[in-house]
Amino acid sequence: GDSVTQTEGQVTVSESKSLIINCTYSTTSIAYPNLFWYVRYPGEGLQLLLKVITAGQKGSSRGFEATYNKETTSFHLQKASVQESDSAVYYCALGSNTDKVVFGTGTRLQVSP
Amino acid sequence: DPKIIQKPKYLVAVTGSEKILICEQYLGHNAMYWYRQSAKKPLEFMFSYSYQKLMDNQTASSRFQPQSSKKNHLDLQITALKPDDSATYFCASSQDGSQNTLYFGAGTRLSVL
């Protein structure tokens, strides 16, 4: 079946430094899947951060970017300069040819002042 | 104001008991879902409903029963609770399923003693 791997459970970054959160995926679908990043702020539900449906394309939102790389089956999340308000849990996700979206384990980002 | 309401936020139950997790969405969506996340595991798809009909069930145990009394409600009844059921349960909705953006509630954290 489909799966998403996030290798880091927690990442700590100093404010104004750059960030990368790794995500790789595996799918049995013939068609290229849709890829998502969701974010969960404390006390809230997950919300969509960005979505890319075409291999090779880049999505961006709120200063975050992720590029859909079908060769390496990766969808890493990057930001050039993080802020304290970015502290949250980030989930990489994949949607193939069903209505079921498959999520990774999540990466907790702690931004220190 | 939150558009997907889950009640309660926290729930403690004893082994063998039965609980109902409540979910209501006020987004006018036609598809609703339940996901679960246990410690250090991915967010795991459980059920999807579309127009109040069960579309997909990935939960092996019949102890988990979704209940949809109205189009914007999808409650989750769990019977014969076990400690392994301890997790945060997330309700979500989307416009009409199949790759549309998911909107999540803040979750119900269930602890089974």
Side-chain angles (χ1 to χ4, degrees):
Chain A
D2 297 343
S3 67
V4 174
T5 301
Q6 293 179 246
T7 51
E8 305 110 339
Q10 176 154 329
V11 172
T12 301
V13 180
S14 299
E15 197 166 26
S16 79
K17 297 298 184 188
S18 64
L19 166 75
I20 181 163
I21 297 178
N22 293 312
C23 171
T24 56
Y25 67 89
S26 171
T27 180
T28 54
S29 173
I30 295 172
Y32 292 117
N34 297 341
L35 298 177
F36 309 83
W37 277 101
Y38 280 81
V39 58
R40 184 182 178 209
Y41 296 104
E44 299 181 14
L46 283 78
Q47 54 185 273
L48 181 69
L49 179 60
L50 55 87
K51 170 183 176 179
V52 180
I53 63 171
T54 304
Q57 297 293 312
K58 178 165 68 177
S60 60
S61 173
R62 306 183 217 172
F64 289 91
E65 295 181 339
T67 299
Y68 187 153
N69 189 323
K70 64 181 173 62
E71 283 79 24
T72 59
T73 61
S74 66
F75 192 54
H76 306 319
L77 183 68
Q78 301 183 72
K79 188 171 186 183
S81 175
V82 297
Q83 303 166 356
E84 244 186 297
S85 57
D86 293 327
S87 295
V89 182
Y90 292 82
Y91 293 87
C92 185
L94 172 159
S96 57
N97 58 355
T98 69
D99 63 346
K100 183 179 80 171
V101 177
V102 175
F103 286 83
T105 48
T107 298
R108 181 177 298 277
L109 170 63
Q110 183 67 44
V111 179
S112 55
Chain B
D1 287 340
K3 302 296 186 193
I4 300 185
I5 297 172
Q6 287 190 245
K7 297 180 211 175
K9 270 193 163 176
Y10 303 99
L11 189 54
V12 179
V14 295
T15 298
S17 66
E18 172 183 315
K19 293 293 179 188
I20 295 181
L21 281 54
I22 305 294
C23 177
E24 307 170 11
Q25 57 94 0
Y26 296 95
L27 293 163
H29 288 167
N30 298 310
M32 295 187 72
Y33 311 80
W34 277 101
Y35 281 80
R36 167 176 62 190
Q37 186 166 29
S38 306
K40 299 211 171 23
K41 289 189 178 175
L43 199 62
E44 172 194 12
F45 173 90
M46 298 179 73
F47 299 97
S48 64
Y49 267 65
S50 182
Y51 295 92
Q52 290 187 269
K53 290 200 167 100
L54 179 67
M55 301 303 290
D56 195 359
N57 177 357
Q58 297 287 322
T59 303
S61 173
S62 60
R63 296 186 298 108
F64 294 84
Q65 290 292 329
Q67 299 171 343
S68 182
S69 59
K70 298 182 198 176
K71 185 182 146 187
N72 69 326
H73 281 231
L74 186 65
D75 300 335
L76 182 64
Q77 179 186 42
I78 315 174
T79 57
L81 278 160
K82 302 178 180 180
D84 275 354
D85 298 331
S86 298
T88 300
Y89 291 79
F90 293 98
C91 176
S93 70
S94 67
Q95 184 59 47
D96 53 15
S98 189
Q99 307 306 305
N100 282 324
T101 300
L102 293 174
Y103 293 78
F104 283 83
T108 292
R109 184 183 285 185
L110 171 66
S111 297
V112 183
L113 307 176

